[in-house]
């Protein structure tokens, strides 16, 4: 399998006005594309040449040379981020995610406050995540390319808080970007699909990719 840039799950205008066509085209077509290309270059001629992206991330995480992990994890994180949003998304969770939000955070508002706080306080570049950790939900952040994919946590949703994700639309107002994501973009159907796959077992999660 040769790695290729996965298409966006929606059009370049789909997330406007919250994320502009310009931001989305640069972010997907330049940043994400560059991570895929770098990964493809680094696995060429190696035993990982025909591996899937998840396998490459998991196989490279312990290497002292971080180049392959950084490129592959960024490629994986970005694809997960695109699917974490949709046109006319946002608002309160539904289904199993809603029950777990209530149980783990006490309600939607507290979840939103904690998600915004975590994402805005992540120093420098990185990601904020909603993960399944044991039998409850948790908000976590990772720096640079790091990803809960290589932890015991199961990622359900993510937001990219690297400046390239929001600077053209929000400049330094990272809080406003995260709030817009929660109010207008977040894709709870994707979170529920990840939750469902996780609760059915690791093989179901693997089959998703
Ligand atoms: Fe990014």
């Amino acid at each position: 399998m040769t790695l290729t840039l996965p298409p966006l799950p929606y059009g370049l205008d789909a997330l406007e006005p919250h994320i502009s066509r310009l931001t989305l085209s640069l972010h997907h077509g330049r940043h994400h594309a560059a991570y895929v290309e770098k990964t493809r270059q680094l696995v060429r001629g190696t035993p990982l040449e025909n591996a899937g992206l998840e396998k490459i991330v998991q196989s490279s995480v312990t290497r002292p040379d971080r180049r392959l992990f950084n490129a592959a994890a960024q490629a994986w994180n970005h694809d997960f981020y695109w699917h974490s949003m949709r046109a006319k998304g946002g608002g309160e969770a539904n289904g199993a995610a809603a029950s777990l939000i209530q149980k783990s955070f006490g309600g939607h508002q507290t979840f939103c406050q904690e998600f915004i706080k975590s994402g805005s306080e992540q120093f420098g570049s990185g990601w904020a995540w909603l993960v399944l950790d044991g039998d409850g939900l948790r908000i976590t952040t990772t720096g640079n390319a790091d990803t809960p994919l290589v932890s015991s946590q199961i990622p359900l949703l993510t937001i990219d808080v690297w400046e390239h994700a929001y600077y053209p639309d929000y400049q330094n107002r990272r809080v406003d970007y995260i709030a817009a994501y929660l109010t207008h973009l977040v894709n709870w159907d994707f979170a529920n699909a990840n939750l469902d796959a996780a609760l059915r077992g690791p093989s179901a999660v693997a089959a998703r990719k």
Side-chain angles (χ1 to χ4, degrees):
M1 168 167 50
T2 303
L3 290 178
T4 54
L5 176 65
L8 286 171
Y10 31 70
L12 289 173
D13 295 333
L15 307 183
E16 288 198 332
H18 313 293
I19 294 179
S20 65
R21 164 184 272 268
L22 174 66
T23 299
L24 206 49
S25 64
L26 292 171
H27 198 175
H28 178 256
R30 305 276 181 86
H31 290 272
H32 187 179
Y35 292 123
V36 172
E37 177 57 27
K38 183 75 175 172
T39 304
R40 194 164 48 211
Q41 286 174 11
L42 290 170
V43 297
R44 191 171 293 148
T46 78
L48 289 173
E49 181 162 13
N50 296 310
L53 189 55
E54 259 189 49
K55 166 86 173 158
I56 296 170
V57 173
Q58 284 159 347
S59 299
S60 60
V61 65
T62 55
R63 292 184 183 182
D65 180 342
R66 301 293 285 173
R67 288 178 301 166
L68 179 57
F69 175 79
N70 285 340
Q74 280 292 80
W76 190 90
N77 288 351
H78 278 90
D79 192 44
F80 200 85
Y81 168 58
W82 307 134
H83 286 85
S84 295
M85 301 183 287
R86 66 178 178 87
K88 298 187 172 63
E92 295 197 19
N94 51 51
S99 308
L100 282 171
I101 293 266
Q102 187 66 37
K103 178 182 153 200
S104 302
F105 300 103
H108 178 72
Q109 287 307 324
T110 308
F111 158 71
C112 288
Q113 287 165 5
E114 291 189 20
F115 193 82
I116 290 170
K117 184 170 188 292
S118 295
S120 61
E121 290 180 352
Q122 166 60 32
F123 183 74
S125 298
W127 304 80
W129 305 83
L130 177 66
V131 298
L132 178 66
D133 190 3
D135 60 0
L137 302 187
R138 176 190 293 267
I139 293 163
T140 187
T141 59
T142 57
N144 298 320
D146 282 342
T147 176
L149 181 62
V150 294
S151 75
S152 59
Q153 299 168 334
I154 306 288
L156 305 181
L157 291 170
T158 194
I159 183 169
D160 185 341
V161 295
W162 286 58
E163 279 193 349
H164 64 233
Y166 62 89
Y167 209 86
D169 299 324
Y170 297 87
Q171 294 78 51
N172 62 327
R173 293 176 287 114
R174 188 191 283 186
V175 166
D176 292 352
Y177 158 62
I178 303 172
Y181 167 97
L182 290 170
T183 306
H184 301 289
L185 300 174
V186 69
N187 182 355
W188 288 111
D189 291 343
F190 181 62
N192 273 315
N194 291 323
L195 199 50
D196 186 52
L199 297 175
R200 282 187 287 114
S203 59
V205 177
R208 184 167 48 76
K209 285 284 157 185

